Amino acid sequence: MKRKVAFLLLLLIIFFVAIPQAYADSTATTACSNTMYKPTGQNFWVASPTTTNATGPVVVYVHGYSSDHYTWEGGNYAVRDACTNGFRVAAVDLDPSGSIWNNATDLKSKLQAIASYYGVSKVNIIAHSKGGLDTQTAIVHNSAYSLVQSYIAFGSPYGGTDLADHACSWYAWALWQCNDATWSMRTSYMSYVRSITDGRAENSYVRGYVARGTKCDWYNPACAMISGSDDGVVPAWSVWANASASRISDRSDLRHSEVHQTQRYGSWIFSYLGRSTARVEADGEALDVQPLVEAESHFASSNYTLRGGALGNQVVEGITVEGGLDAVTFSLISNAGVKVSVVSPSGVTYESTAHAAATGDVLQGTTHAVRVEAPEAGQWQVLGTPTRRAGKGGGGFMLYAIYEGGLTVELDTDIYQVYKPGTPLPLSIRTSEQVSNARVIANLQTRENKRVAAAQGELNGRTLALPHQAGSYTVDITVTGIAADGTPFERTLVTSLAVGAPAELGENGGIADR
């Protein structure tokens, strides 16, 4: 009898030890909630299981830049929607300012822990913004493909974003927003990443999907700073730059802060998770086609003028506005309190309206914007008076004058490639309208804003001597001249270039430090 009792006790012990921790930590409920909790002793977040998803597949949410797991709760019903569609839910917190390499290592470790927690061999991933870069980097370069069945990346800058180029330019030095994360998202750095990621066999082991939005608010300077259509943070072309993923949604009504909100799609979005074959939606919502050649080349353009620096006691910046414009928007971004006004050449004063940055915006701070329709030509003044000091170094600003209905300048150099060190780079610049007396000043700078090459003179026929050292470099170009109506114009163009062969750079090598 004692032997039978001991044997039964042993079976019970084995049974409870074998139960995944998910069931030891939480009791199944009948309704799906939109909140998560951190299990005891774990470094990730989960939602309570329900009676309908207790044995369902697992989806892991991966946040983007300057964000955390809360981006999937609150106004985003991603936790509830996944549960309703039969998925068990987990979410991770990665370094909000970490590089794709460090975050990929951390992500793989947490995916292993989540798989063990739920007692599964593979999970699925839904990622937002930079979280999509961290996800693919983990899959391809950290062997996390063995843990992931499929992923959906919403608004992820697989080709980089112009905003990261701006954040790491000398114009933004006083905003202190060039960190490992923004450096990873520069257009040049992602050109390099694509060169060592696309075509890797690891991509074929995991089914990948991408979705994008293209809505940008008028007061957001990103609408002009980003070349082509965008969602306020990421260029539309950049989301499609992941050559291993299929497109499933293209929405002109969604901003970057909304594109990952699952309630804006419906249950069909979850039907892609865990799939090993492509799918096409009959209602046209899901495109599910491979990226086309638009992602193979990209040319930076500008219809703006740029200023930047420390706030000091007073900001006084002169901005040239040519004639015949439909409108001009002055947007000053600051990481400290400031009152901004704009004065026209004839002395009319315009007061700004303030708009706080959303979570996940590459350029964090408050934007003070003034939009003037049919502006008079001449020299405008932007005045900024600090009201309080905040942040490292006492506060800084970046100022954009965005011209509507005027000329656009474009750098006729494909930035979506890695250039050979030590070679001359022709600077061919196109203008959308006829101009005269046009001149250009171009600088090539390191992450520390050290100038390594420069050129100036007439608009075309200039070259930049690329450095011999591999790296990612900022290109800063100013174009001035006379517009077709005889009034002066000015444009600023900021982008970046990758220099060096992949073999020289290494996955986490020299380019990360330049």
Side-chain angles (χ1 to χ4, degrees), residues 436-458:
S436 59
N437 299 328
R439 296 185 64 81
V440 61
I441 299 175
N443 296 296
L444 196 67
Q445 298 171 323
T446 67
R447 181 170 181 172
E448 296 76 24
N449 292 319
K450 178 183 177 182
R451 187 169 62 185
V452 294
Q456 60 179 319
E458 296 181 358

Side-chain angles (χ1 to χ4, degrees), residues 177-189:
Q177 294 187 27
C178 185
N179 50 46
D180 289 344
T182 51
W183 192 257
S184 296
M185 292 187 288
R186 284 158 50 90
T187 52
S188 60
Y189 195 87

Side-chain angles (χ1 to χ4, degrees), residues 175-478:
L175 291 178
W176 300 101
Q177 294 187 27
C178 185
N179 50 46
D180 289 344
T182 51
W183 192 257
S184 296
M185 292 187 288
R186 284 158 50 90
T187 52
S188 60
Y189 195 87
M190 287 311 300
S191 296
Y192 154 68
V193 172
R194 298 260 58 86
S195 74
I196 63 170
T197 301
D198 294 337
R200 287 277 294 259
E202 292 88 345
N203 288 298
S204 64
Y205 304 150
V206 179
R207 188 71 183 177
Y209 302 94
V210 290
R212 71 184 185 186
T214 53
K215 183 175 182 179
C216 190
D217 297 304
W218 70 267
Y219 57 81
N220 187 347
C223 300
M225 292 156 54
I226 297 175
S227 302
S229 61
D230 62 90
D231 63 7
V233 174
V234 176
W237 68 267
S238 181
V239 180
W240 285 172
N242 181 346
S244 304
S246 299
R247 309 172 187 177
I248 57 173
S249 182
D250 190 0
R251 295 276 295 273
S252 62
D253 62 329
L254 296 181
R255 304 173 181 86
H256 189 72
S257 59
E258 301 166 333
V259 70
H260 64 308
Q261 295 176 349
T262 56
Q263 70 269 22
R264 297 180 181 274
Y265 300 92
S267 295
W268 67 264
I269 200 73
F270 290 95
S271 68
Y272 286 91
L273 296 179
R275 296 182 62 87
S276 58
T277 57
R279 170 179 175 174
V280 178
E281 287 293 316
D283 60 8
E285 283 285 353
L287 306 180
D288 202 19
V289 296
Q290 291 299 322
L292 302 178
V293 294
E294 65 178 277
E296 295 178 357
S297 62
H298 179 61
F299 300 90
S301 62
S302 166
N303 65 338
Y304 60 85
T305 295
L306 182 59
R307 302 283 191 272
L311 280 176
N313 296 322
Q314 179 82 44
V315 174
V316 181
E317 293 288 347
I319 299 292
T320 299
V321 176
E322 72 264 28
L325 295 176
D326 296 335
V328 60
T329 299
F330 302 92
S331 291
L332 186 146
I333 305 171
S334 179
N335 56 359
V338 62
K339 181 180 179 182
V340 178
S341 59
V342 176
V343 183
S344 73
S346 61
V348 179
T349 299
Y350 301 83
E351 300 298 334
S352 66
T353 56
H355 308 270
T359 299
D361 283 356
V362 172
L363 295 174
Q364 290 291 306
T366 301
T367 296
H368 304 267
V370 172
R371 184 175 186 271
V372 181
E373 295 185 353
E376 60 182 297
Q379 195 75 359
W380 289 64
Q381 277 199 328
V382 179
L383 308 176
T385 304
T387 58
R388 59 179 174 82
R389 297 195 180 278
K392 187 175 180 180
F397 75 95
M398 267 205 306
L399 168 63
Y400 294 85
I402 302 163
Y403 309 102
E404 299 177 35
L407 66 89
T408 298
V409 300
E410 181 178 83
L411 177 62
D412 191 15
T413 299
D414 182 7
I415 65 171
Y416 198 69
Q417 61 174 287
V418 179
Y419 285 86
K420 185 178 179 180
T423 58
L425 177 71
L427 287 179
S428 177
I429 298 173
R430 294 194 295 256
T431 59
S432 60
E433 301 175 7
Q434 188 69 34
V435 299
S436 59
N437 299 328
R439 296 185 64 81
V440 61
I441 299 175
N443 296 296
L444 196 67
Q445 298 171 323
T446 67
R447 181 170 181 172
E448 296 76 24
N449 292 319
K450 178 183 177 182
R451 187 169 62 185
V452 294
Q456 60 179 319
E458 296 181 358
L459 187 60
N460 288 306
R462 308 298 102 195
T463 60
L464 276 176
L466 297 180
H468 291 277
Q469 186 172 11
S472 173
Y473 296 90
T474 299
V475 182
D476 165 23
I477 297 173
T478 300

Side-chain angles (χ1 to χ4, degrees), residues 9-34:
L9 286 173
L10 179 61
L11 288 178
L12 287 172
I13 291 171
I14 293 173
F15 175 76
F16 283 110
V17 168
I19 293 177
Q21 189 180 343
Y23 303 102
D25 282 353
S26 179
T27 303
T29 61
T30 57
C32 293
S33 69
N34 199 49

